[in-house]
């Protein structure tokens, strides 16, 4: 799949494009920064090219997609690099070394795209199984090389390609998932923070489980000891099962997906916590409204919704949705209790998200202390030159008596 560097095509930045940003580590080049002609537009999505500045000075080897707003993604700053199986394996090996320092068991995000030197590539590991999500054309075209590299470096037997997600559609890629190696016959139990989650890798959301919330689950455990917990937008049990493992008296999971709640119920059973766990299926806003009318109140309420602001055009609408979540959730927290509000929206930065949450709490006629700000775990590293790699925010408030 790779080509000798000497035979690679060259694409050039426009004279006013910021070549210095690329030299200083910026990973993306947008379509309006590239000199585009018939030749560059004809490059196959996923092909490798040399990126040069306006004076034709070499900047980096890049993966090209003329169909994407992100025209080029930086792969390597070595002009002689060969983007082959060994190159991919070396990046995975470096990523694995970091995770081996962090975790005793092989359940984590193994590769976090640009931050791990694999632009657009997400790999989650579930023991003997890896879920590959190639969100860039270059990686999608080399899925077979990723399988070989994953198996040689990690020893996994099973590799699933997950084709879902907005990022793939922006690259012009299909949304089909497929088993690339081995077999997956059933959902996989995952131990995390003392809780047992059941991850459905074939039919579940994203790659089957959200590893990114691990440290925020752990913080919530400390708040919930002996208390009653409400986990809204719970997916497969998220915060609810974590708090039960940490000593919560009871926990309720709310989600619109019956399948996700079934997996959460299975997880509670595996933990021996079925008698302390309940679920409620429905629209999160409708359920929160109903719980308020029923007079239900909780010691800890945590809301971890999907991305309400996945892009800049959706930002204002998304912030209003986060404000509404905060308003409704704050009303369900007992005095002196705790409220956790999360966002995985790239477009809503921490300041905007915090402002929306604060406004919602104020509209609920509640006063609160902001006691903790959480982010994704260390298996989701942030690339300093790419703000989008630090998407997850979690705000924890104490609701004042």
């Amino acid at each position: 799949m790779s080509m000798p560097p000497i035979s690679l095509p060259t694409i050039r930045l426009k004279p006013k494009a910021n070549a210095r940003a690329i030299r200083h580590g910026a990973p993306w080049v947008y379509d309006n920064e590239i000199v585009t002609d018939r030749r560059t537009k004809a490059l196959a999505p996923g092909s490798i090219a040399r990126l040069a500045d306006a004076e034709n000075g070499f900047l980096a080897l890049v993966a090209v997609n003329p169909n994407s707003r992100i025209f080029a993604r930086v792969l390597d700053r070595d002009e002689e690099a060969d983007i082959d199986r060994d190159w991919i394996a070396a990046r995975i090996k470096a990523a694995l070394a970091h995770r081996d320092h962090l975790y005793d068991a092989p359940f984590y995000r193994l590769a976090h795209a640009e931050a791990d030197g694999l632009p657009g590539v997400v790999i989650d590991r579930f023991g003997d199984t890896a879920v590959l999500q190639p969100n860039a054309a270059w990686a999608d075209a080399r899925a077979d090389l990723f399988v070989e590299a994953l198996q040689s470096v990690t020893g996994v037997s099973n590799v699933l390609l997950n084709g879902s997600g907005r990022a793939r559609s922006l690259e012009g890629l299909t949304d089909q998932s497929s088993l690339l190696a081995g077999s997956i016959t059933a959902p996989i139990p995952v131990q995390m923070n003392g809780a047992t989650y059941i991850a459905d890798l074939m039919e579940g959301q994203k790659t089957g489980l959200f590893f990114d919330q691990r440290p925020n689950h752990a913080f919530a455990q400390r708040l919930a000891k002996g208390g009653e917990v409400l986990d809204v937008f719970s997916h497969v049990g998220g915060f609810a099962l974590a708090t039960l493992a940490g000593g919560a008296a009871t926990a309720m999971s709310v989600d619109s997906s019956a399948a996700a709640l079934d997996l959460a119920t299975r997880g509670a059973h595996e933990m021996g916590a079925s008698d302390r766990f309940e679920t409620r299926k429905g629209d999160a806003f409708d359920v929160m409204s109903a719980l308020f009318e029923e007079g239900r109140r909780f010691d800890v309420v945590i809301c971890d919704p999907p991305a309400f602001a996945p892009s800049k055009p959706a930002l204002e609408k998304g912030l209003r949705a986060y404000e509404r979540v905060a308003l409704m959730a704050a009303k369900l927290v007992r005095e002196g209790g705790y409220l956790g509000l999360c966002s995985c929206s790239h477009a809503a930065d921490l300041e905007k998200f915090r402002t929306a949450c604060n406004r919602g709490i104020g509209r609920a006629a509640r006063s609160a202390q902001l006691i903790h700000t959480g982010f994704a775990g260390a298996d989701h590293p942030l690339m300093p030159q790419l703000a989008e790699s630090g998407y997850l925010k979690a705000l924890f408030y104490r609701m004042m008596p």
Side-chain angles (χ1 to χ4, degrees), residues 62-395:
V62 295
V64 173
N65 188 350
N67 301 328
S68 173
R69 174 89 169 83
I70 303 172
F71 193 100
R73 299 173 186 262
V74 173
L75 295 174
D76 205 305
R77 298 176 191 281
D78 178 2
E79 192 170 5
E80 301 301 316
D82 195 2
I83 312 302
D84 58 5
R85 191 200 75 163
D86 291 342
W87 184 93
I88 294 170
R91 296 292 170 103
I92 292 174
K93 185 176 181 180
L96 178 62
H98 170 55
R99 279 70 182 179
D100 280 345
H101 276 292
L102 295 173
Y103 305 111
D104 295 329
F107 295 88
Y108 41 66
R109 174 147 295 180
L110 174 58
H112 192 52
E114 279 76 1
D116 278 303
L118 291 167
V121 180
V122 168
I123 305 172
D124 282 352
R125 185 175 182 186
F126 299 85
D128 196 32
T129 299
V131 181
L132 169 67
Q133 193 169 45
N135 295 326
W138 79 274
D140 194 68
R142 293 165 176 79
D144 58 335
L145 300 185
F146 273 90
V147 172
E148 295 174 13
L150 277 165
Q151 291 186 321
S152 67
V153 172
T154 68
V156 297
S157 300
N158 315 307
V159 181
L160 172 68
L161 188 150
N162 184 293
S164 66
R166 177 174 175 271
R168 283 181 60 84
S169 65
L170 294 176
E171 282 277 299
L173 303 173
T174 69
D175 61 357
Q176 293 181 338
S177 298
S178 59
L179 188 62
L180 302 180
S183 63
I184 302 173
T185 58
I188 295 175
V190 177
Q191 302 292 323
M192 193 160 59
N193 290 317
T196 301
Y197 297 94
I198 308 299
D200 187 347
L201 309 188
M202 298 294 292
E203 302 294 337
Q205 295 181 36
K206 299 294 184 180
T207 59
L209 189 67
F210 299 111
F211 286 126
D212 53 2
Q213 287 282 20
R214 187 183 332 229
N216 300 317
H217 288 166
F219 184 79
Q221 285 181 321
R222 297 163 62 188
L223 304 179
K225 290 180 180 178
E228 295 178 294
V229 176
L230 175 66
D231 179 12
V232 186
F233 307 99
S234 177
H235 189 223
V236 297
F239 284 93
L241 298 186
T243 55
L244 287 174
T250 64
M252 176 192 290
S253 280
V254 175
D255 203 274
S256 61
S257 167
L261 292 177
D262 286 345
L263 292 170
T265 300
R266 288 177 58 182
H269 176 75
E270 291 288 329
M271 294 165 54
S274 296
D275 58 334
R276 296 184 289 137
F277 180 66
E278 64 176 306
T279 66
R280 192 172 292 200
K281 179 184 176 298
D283 173 84
F285 296 102
D286 291 344
V287 173
M288 284 194 286
S289 178
L291 289 170
F292 181 79
E293 294 300 322
E294 293 166 16
R296 296 287 299 271
R297 301 295 183 267
F298 301 85
D299 299 293
V300 178
V301 176
I302 300 174
C303 299
D304 184 16
F308 286 147
S311 62
K312 288 184 179 179
L315 177 59
E316 291 307 315
K317 182 178 179 181
L319 291 175
R320 288 194 297 271
Y322 287 124
E323 180 179 336
R324 186 184 177 204
V325 168
L327 185 157
M328 298 184 73
K331 292 181 177 181
L332 293 169
V333 184
R334 293 190 177 111
E335 290 187 356
Y338 297 95
L339 172 63
L341 301 169
C342 307
S343 167
C344 60
S345 293
H346 293 283
D349 64 22
L350 177 60
E351 182 178 359
K352 289 183 176 65
F353 175 60
R354 186 171 55 223
T355 297
C357 293
N358 293 346
R359 187 180 296 119
I361 292 170
R363 286 179 58 201
R366 300 294 301 270
S367 59
Q369 302 166 314
L370 179 59
I371 62 169
H372 179 71
T373 300
F375 302 97
D379 55 341
H380 291 64
L382 185 149
M383 185 181 193
Q385 301 87 350
L386 187 64
E388 289 86 346
S389 61
Y391 61 96
L392 181 65
K393 290 82 62 178
L395 304 177

Side-chain angles (χ1 to χ4, degrees), residues 25-65:
W28 294 348
V29 183
Y30 292 98
D31 54 1
N32 61 357
E33 299 177 297
I34 292 290
V35 175
T36 53
D37 52 25
R38 187 177 302 171
R39 179 186 61 85
T40 56
K41 290 180 180 178
L43 291 171
S47 58
I48 309 300
R50 298 173 70 257
L51 176 66
D53 59 23
E55 287 75 39
N56 211 35
F58 175 79
L59 292 172
L61 292 182
V62 295
V64 173
N65 188 350

